[in-house]
């Protein structure tokens, strides 16, 4: 990406990433100077990079220029390395210039399109500009609110500032304040040294504790191995009891299955007996109803007047036969009722 951007920006030399496998400060300084001139041609940065001091001054000047003019923060250490890490820092500047060049090309194309067709309007090309405008508007409002708050405090700050400026400077008080500041700094330095010493002591204590823990772990592992190798005294009895328990469990399962089967058979037998009893009761009820109907019919027939004696004798014989049948049916019903 860096080489393509530099080629698009019009750098006169051909650059490849192989040039930055080893530190190449000459090439990095040329690229930086060309980018600075491309950003602002009127800048005056000395191109001397022969000595170490000249290189440091050159890197600082370029970083300060980019920070103040382009608001781009560069890492001076990576630039001074002049290797692949420096390419990442150079890419920050080249990406900004490349983006500006692309926006200019888009604007020119838009101007040509407007000239060719004035009544056409492309909304898609303005979406990015609209987003950027919204972001800038939100930043402006937030900055304006903070600036308004600061300006509201300016009255009090102005009075304090004028009082401090108008007050004559006394050397003795300045010396006292400097001594107090120096003492505070020395106390902080001493505290940090004590903390560093305490850290060293803590590290030593932790190392001792770690060694103790390691020894304890080794002892416990050895003890575990010995316990695993030794067979307990009650293990034989435990195995015998376990075998007996397995046998008891199998017999229990067999008995439980038999019990459930017998309960099922008993339920079936009770169900059949209940059905038989209900059928006998229904038959008894039907026979009783039939006998009642026959008795009623006989009573009705007995009340009628007979004119002929033979007919009466015949009827008497018939009635005797019917009485015998009724007695037999009663006896049959009495035998069914106990069942």
């Amino acid at each position: 990406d860096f080489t393509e951007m530099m080629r698009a920006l019009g750098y006169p030399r051909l650059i490849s990433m192989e040039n930055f496998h080893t530190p190449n400060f000459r090439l990095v300084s040329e690229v930086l100077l060309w980018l600075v001139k491309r950003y602002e041609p009127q800048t005056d940065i000395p191109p001397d990079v022969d000595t170490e001091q000249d290189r440091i001054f050159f890197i600082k000047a370029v970083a300060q220029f980019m920070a103040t003019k382009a608001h781009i923060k560069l890492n001076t250490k990576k630039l001074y390395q002049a290797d692949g890490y420096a390419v990442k820092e150079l890419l920050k500047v080249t990406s900004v210039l490349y983006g500006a060049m692309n926006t200019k090309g888009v604007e020119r194309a838009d101007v040509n399109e407007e000239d060719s067709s004035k009544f056409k309007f492309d909304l898609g090309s303005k979406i990015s500009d609209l987003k950027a405008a919204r972001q800038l508007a939100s930043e402006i409002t937030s900055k304006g609110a903070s600036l308004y708050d600061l300006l509201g405090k300016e009255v009090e700050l102005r009075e304090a500032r004028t009082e401090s400026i108008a007050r004559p400077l006394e050397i003795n008080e300045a010396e006292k304040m400097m001594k107090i500041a120096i003492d505070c700094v020395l106390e902080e330095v001493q505290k940090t040294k004590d903390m560093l010493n305490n850290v060293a002591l803590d590290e030593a204590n932790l190392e001792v504790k770690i060694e103790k823990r390691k020894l304890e772990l080794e002892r416990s592992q050895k003890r575990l191995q010995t316990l695993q190798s030794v067979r307990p005294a009650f293990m034989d009895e435990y195995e015998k009891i376990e075998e007996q328990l397995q046998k008891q469990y199998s017999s229990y399962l067999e008995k439980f299955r038999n019990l459930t089967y017998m309960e099922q058979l008993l339920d079936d037998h009770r169900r059949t007996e209940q059905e038989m009893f209900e059928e006998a009761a229904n038959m008894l009820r039907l026979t009783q109803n039939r006998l009642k109907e026959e008795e009623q019919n006989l009573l009705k027939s007995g009340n009628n007047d007979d004119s002929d004696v033979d007919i009466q004798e015949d009827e008497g014989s018939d009635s005797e036969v019917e009485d015998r049948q009724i007695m037999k049916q009663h006896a049959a019903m009495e035998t069914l009722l106990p069942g």
Side-chain angles (χ1 to χ4, degrees):
D1 294 336
F2 175 71
T3 56
E4 291 177 359
M5 287 181 183
M6 291 297 290
R7 193 180 299 112
L9 290 172
Y11 188 68
R13 289 180 56 184
L14 293 175
I15 301 172
S16 64
M17 294 305 296
E18 294 179 356
N19 299 126
F20 298 98
H21 286 170
T22 58
N24 191 353
F25 195 84
R26 288 282 181 184
L27 182 58
V28 172
S29 63
E30 289 178 3
V31 171
L32 282 173
L33 190 60
W34 185 82
L35 290 172
V36 170
K37 294 289 186 182
R38 183 67 185 269
Y39 193 83
E40 190 173 348
Q42 297 178 358
T43 55
D44 188 10
I45 294 175
D48 297 331
V49 290
D50 296 331
T51 62
E52 184 178 356
Q53 295 294 328
D54 294 337
R55 291 177 181 178
I56 293 169
F57 181 75
F58 176 76
I59 293 294
K60 283 184 178 180
V62 172
Q64 187 176 3
F65 172 79
M66 287 296 172
T68 55
K69 298 293 183 180
H71 299 287
I72 299 171
K73 187 177 180 181
L74 299 176
N75 193 342
T76 55
K77 291 182 179 179
K78 292 181 180 179
L79 286 174
Y80 192 79
Q81 290 176 4
D83 53 2
Y85 292 101
V87 175
K88 295 181 180 179
E89 300 299 321
L90 294 172
L91 191 60
K92 296 178 181 178
V93 184
T94 53
S95 61
V96 173
L97 293 173
Y98 185 74
M101 184 181 71
N102 289 332
T103 53
K104 286 182 180 179
V106 170
E107 288 176 358
R108 289 175 183 174
D110 292 337
V111 170
N112 293 327
E113 288 179 358
E114 287 177 358
D115 292 335
S116 61
S117 59
K118 293 182 180 180
F119 297 102
K120 291 182 181 179
F121 181 74
D122 189 5
L123 186 61
S125 62
K126 301 295 182 181
I127 291 173
S128 59
D129 296 337
L130 183 61
K131 291 181 180 178
R134 286 180 179 175
Q135 186 176 1
L136 289 172
S138 62
E139 290 179 359
I140 288 167
T141 52
S142 61
K143 296 288 185 182
S146 61
L147 181 62
Y148 180 77
D149 294 334
L150 293 173
L151 289 173
K153 298 177 182 178
E154 178 62 22
V155 179
E156 298 176 358
L157 296 173
R158 187 186 300 161
E159 293 177 356
R161 187 169 59 248
T162 52
E163 288 178 359
S164 61
I165 291 169
R167 187 174 60 186
L169 181 62
E170 295 181 0
I171 297 172
N172 295 324
E173 291 182 358
E175 288 179 356
K176 287 181 181 180
M177 296 300 292
M178 290 296 293
K179 286 180 181 179
I180 292 168
I182 291 166
D183 293 333
C184 293
V185 172
L186 291 174
E187 287 179 359
E188 291 180 356
V189 170
Q190 189 64 33
K191 286 180 181 178
T192 52
K193 287 182 179 179
D194 295 335
M195 290 173 69
L196 291 172
N197 294 326
N198 293 327
V199 167
L201 293 173
D202 293 336
E203 287 180 356
N205 294 326
L206 288 172
E207 288 178 356
V208 172
K209 288 181 180 179
I210 289 166
E211 291 294 332
K212 289 181 180 179
R213 296 288 182 181
K214 285 181 179 179
L215 293 173
E216 290 178 358
L217 180 62
E218 290 177 357
R219 286 197 296 269
S220 61
Q221 286 179 352
K222 289 179 181 178
R223 186 177 178 184
L224 179 62
Q225 290 176 0
T226 54
L227 290 173
Q228 288 178 351
S229 62
V230 174
R231 184 180 176 83
F234 56 86
M235 198 67 190
D236 297 332
E237 184 178 1
Y238 174 76
E239 290 177 354
K240 290 179 182 179
I241 293 170
E242 191 174 3
E243 290 177 357
Q244 293 177 1
L245 180 63
Q246 190 68 28
K247 291 178 181 179
Q248 292 291 333
Y249 182 70
S250 61
S251 64
Y252 165 74
L253 288 176
E254 186 177 358
K255 289 179 181 179
F256 183 76
R257 286 196 296 270
N258 293 330
L259 179 62
T260 52
Y261 179 69
M262 295 298 290
E263 287 178 353
Q264 186 178 0
L265 289 176
L266 180 61
D267 292 335
D268 295 337
H269 182 67
R270 286 176 180 174
R271 195 180 299 109
T272 54
E273 284 184 351
Q274 184 69 24
E275 290 176 356
M276 290 174 67
F277 179 75
E278 289 177 356
E279 288 179 358
N282 291 327
M283 291 293 293
L284 180 61
R285 190 164 52 252
L286 291 171
T287 52
Q288 286 178 354
N289 293 328
R290 190 172 66 250
L291 289 172
K292 285 180 181 180
E293 289 177 356
E294 289 177 355
E295 287 177 357
Q296 289 176 0
N297 292 326
L298 289 172
L299 290 172
K300 288 179 181 179
S301 64
N303 291 327
N304 294 325
D305 294 329
D306 298 326
S307 62
D308 200 16
V309 176
D310 294 332
I311 294 169
Q312 288 177 356
E313 289 176 358
D314 293 333
E315 286 177 355
S317 62
D318 294 333
S319 64
E320 289 176 358
V321 173
E322 288 177 356
D323 290 334
R324 288 174 186 175
Q325 290 178 357
I326 289 165
M327 292 298 290
K328 287 180 182 179
Q329 290 177 357
H330 278 291
M333 292 303 297
E334 286 177 358
T335 56
L336 287 171
L337 282 170

